[in-house]
Amino acid sequence: MEESKRNNLIDLVKGFLIILVIIGHFLPGTLSENPLRYIIYSFHMPAFFFVSGMLYSGHTSLKEYGLRLDIPWLLAVQVYYVLLNFKTISITSYLKAYITPYYHLWFVVGFFFCIAVVKLCKENKKLLLSLGIVLVIVSSVLKGNGFVVWKVIDYTIRPHYLLFFTMGLM
């Protein structure tokens, strides 16, 4: 049996992106106040989704992805919720923790969204690319127009990253 070889370049890129995520989260100030943070945030997550698309094999079922992602995600939401709300626990804030996940936990929901859309589209790359472009346009148009539901979808799922995931698939 032939062993598959790791692509060291991919590992290097992922490691570099992880370091940029850490640096980006520790830099002081907002994006408009810190040019280095602005530069890092302009490309590091699209690059993660691109690499994830490159590494996507299609062999794992949606249920298996769900189990792999959901259990750690649910535990992480619980830990964040308790740590940040232990004085003011309420059903409303508890449900909100799942609808608008804390900090970096959106990535799991966004990644699962990309996998689900790829599976639902039967990996049709032209359809996925078209859908990704449409989601980027819709996200750009609706983002500043006060649509509350779209703000939640955009914050939680980040559907525009489907375009980068699809480009990685190609």
Side-chain angles (χ1 to χ4, degrees):
M1 182 167 24
E2 188 178 317
E3 245 183 77
S4 63
K5 295 188 181 202
R6 289 187 70 92
N7 185 330
N8 291 332
L9 181 59
I10 295 277
D11 288 340
L12 185 65
V13 168
K14 289 189 314 185
F16 177 69
L17 291 171
I18 289 167
I19 290 168
L20 287 179
V21 168
I22 294 167
I23 291 169
H25 282 280
F26 277 100
L27 288 172
T30 64
L31 292 177
S32 60
E33 296 169 347
N34 191 323
L36 181 56
R37 189 175 205 190
Y38 183 84
I39 290 167
I40 291 171
Y41 274 52
S42 70
F43 75 90
H44 78 291
M45 291 316 298
F48 262 119
F49 277 91
F50 181 84
V51 170
S52 296
M54 285 177 57
L55 297 174
Y56 175 77
S57 68
H59 299 300
T60 306
S61 73
L62 198 55
K63 182 180 177 182
E64 288 175 283
Y65 269 113
L67 290 173
R68 283 186 197 172
L69 296 172
D70 288 348
I71 293 169
W73 185 79
L74 291 168
L75 290 171
V77 170
Q78 296 299 313
V79 169
Y80 272 104
Y81 180 77
V82 170
L83 289 175
L84 297 173
N85 297 293
F86 66 94
K87 292 181 181 179
T88 59
I89 291 176
S90 74
I91 300 244
T92 307
S93 65
Y94 183 73
L95 292 174
K96 186 179 177 195
Y98 289 96
I99 295 168
T100 54
Y102 297 107
Y103 311 115
H104 55 278
L105 294 179
W106 69 265
F107 179 79
V108 176
V109 181
F111 178 72
F112 189 75
F113 169 78
C114 288
I115 297 297
V117 171
V118 167
K119 293 281 188 190
L120 290 171
C121 290
K122 308 263 190 252
E123 301 181 33
N124 179 330
K125 292 177 182 166
K126 288 181 182 177
L127 176 61
L128 287 166
L129 188 59
S130 300
L131 186 58
I133 291 168
V134 166
L135 287 172
V136 167
I137 293 168
V138 168
S139 183
S140 299
V141 170
L142 295 181
K143 197 171 209 156
N145 288 332
F147 292 103
V148 175
V149 172
W150 183 258
K151 283 183 179 181
V152 171
I153 290 169
D154 192 51
Y155 176 81
T156 304
I157 299 173
R158 320 269 169 119
H160 52 281
Y161 286 130
L162 177 64
L163 178 61
F164 298 100
F165 191 87
T166 302
M167 290 183 343
L169 274 172
M170 299 176 115

